[in-house]
Amino acid sequence: MLMNLEGKTFVIMGVANKRSIAWGAARALDQLGAKLVFTILNERFRRELDKLLGELEGNHDIIVECDVTNDEQVEASFKEIGEKTGGIDGVLHAIAFAGKDELQGGYSETTREGFKNALDISAYSLAVVSKHAKTIMNEGGSIVTMTYLGGERAMPNYNVMGVAKAALESSVRYLALDLGESGIRVNAVSAGPIRTLSSSAVGDFKSILKEIEERAPLKRNVDQLEVGNTVAFLLSGFSSGITGEVLHVDSGYHIMA
Ligand SMILES: CCCCCCc1ccc(Oc2ccc(Oc3cccc(O)n3)cc2)c(O)c1
């Protein structure tokens, strides 16, 4: 029998539109019967999400505004979610940002402000989200975040986002260590390149898609639903023995020289 997530509630942070990886995860989790709660950055994204929710089987009607650079908002949003759900079983953190100027050209040109902003939103936010999610997490809870190979190896143009992803992946290990005794697991999915609102901000993105098709073991790119299935696996009890891990869903590209 397939993973059954009926009776489970997950918070999905970071749906921008139908191309978002977070939306792929929402579709996968919805198909498995989970109850979903969404957080969005602001009202503009609420309208996008309202249009999409009709495509899902379940009635996912809790949408909370949460700007992860605002500590009070993170605390308030998880308090509100706890009150409205009675407790959650997991969180997908699919949030990152770096200035367009920092995502092309040389990394040595990165500004102090650009570095701080990228690390704040793309890496520190996982720690503050985990701190507040823990207070409403049911036994056996699971936190998943999204990363990319550019956090492990130097890839042209990815620049400060790669440094942020390195910090994010190390944060996954330290959060796994800290929250393990509370029965909460923390993992990352390292997805291959996928065309989303965000990928358009990374210089020379298109050539990477072509490189994967030509050289990756599976000779094809991955898609949002495929990545979403692995997110569902890590949020479910089927991954109960896995924590502090980075699972690559990238057609095998990362194994190559
Ligand atoms: C050279 C690497 C090419 C493959 C990049 C794959 C990828 C695509 C999208 C990723 O997510 C991002 C990328 C940039 C980003 O910053 C943005 C997004 C929109 C506008 C903007 O000004 N910055 C936020 C998330 C990401 O972390 C990784």
Side-chain angles (χ1 to χ4, degrees):
M1 63 117 180
L2 251 179
M3 286 188 306
N4 178 340
L5 296 181
E6 280 163 22
K8 301 287 186 188
T9 301
F10 300 107
V11 179
I12 311 280
M13 307 180 80
V15 175
N17 61 33
K18 69 178 188 309
R19 284 186 165 174
S20 297
I21 287 177
W23 183 245
R27 289 167 52 208
L29 291 162
D30 175 63
Q31 286 298 314
L32 296 166
K35 163 83 178 164
L36 303 178
V37 172
F38 295 89
T39 74
I40 38 111
L41 175 59
N42 58 41
E43 290 314 304
R44 178 163 75 91
F45 292 111
R46 186 189 295 271
R47 277 196 296 281
E48 279 292 323
L49 189 51
D50 280 338
K51 278 186 284 180
L52 290 171
L53 285 176
E55 293 174 24
L56 300 182
E57 297 288 314
N59 170 32
H60 312 291
D61 52 4
I62 306 174
I63 303 177
V64 175
E65 198 171 319
C66 181
D67 172 354
V68 293
T69 65
N70 179 319
D71 289 333
E72 291 70 32
Q73 263 196 42
V74 178
E75 181 168 17
S77 53
F78 279 93
K79 184 168 178 290
E80 178 180 347
I81 292 168
E83 287 160 358
K84 290 184 174 175
T85 61
I88 61 174
D89 299 288
V91 179
L92 170 61
H93 169 282
I95 293 170
F97 183 83
K100 217 168 169 61
D101 296 347
E102 330 278 354
L103 291 167
Q104 43 206 328
Y107 178 62
S108 64
E109 298 302 321
T110 304
T111 64
R112 188 178 301 275
E113 183 57 28
F115 183 96
K116 188 189 74 60
N117 199 35
L119 272 285
D120 183 12
I121 295 170
S122 316
Y124 175 70
S125 65
L126 182 67
V128 66
V129 161
S130 298
K131 173 184 173 182
H132 294 293
K134 178 184 176 200
T135 66
I136 62 166
M137 195 81 86
N138 299 328
E139 187 52 38
S142 175
I143 298 169
V144 179
T145 189
M146 297 305 305
T147 188
Y148 176 64
L149 186 59
E152 300 170 64
R153 298 193 210 137
M155 300 185 74
N157 296 307
Y158 200 59
N159 298 343
V160 73
M161 187 59 91
V163 174
K165 294 300 189 184
L168 181 73
E169 292 180 20
S170 186
S171 297
V172 163
R173 291 185 282 274
Y174 279 95
L175 286 166
L177 180 57
D178 179 17
L179 302 181
E181 54 196 327
S182 306
I184 297 170
R185 298 178 294 113
V186 187
N187 294 290
V189 171
S190 185
I194 295 174
R195 204 185 296 282
T196 64
L197 177 147
S198 291
S199 51
S200 61
V202 184
D204 199 18
F205 171 74
K206 285 193 183 58
S207 64
I208 292 283
L209 286 172
K210 191 163 163 288
E211 159 95 357
I212 304 295
E213 245 169 50
E214 288 170 356
R215 297 190 63 231
L218 295 183
K219 298 289 181 285
R220 66 173 176 82
N221 283 294
V222 293
D223 65 30
Q224 291 89 337
L225 192 56
E226 197 165 29
V227 171
N229 287 335
T230 301
V231 169
F233 162 69
L234 285 173
L235 287 173
S236 83
F238 272 64
S239 59
S240 58
I242 303 175
T243 195
E245 188 61 87
V246 176
L247 288 190
H248 295 79
V249 183
D250 66 347
S251 297
Y253 185 73
H254 75 287
I255 67 171
M256 298 171 64

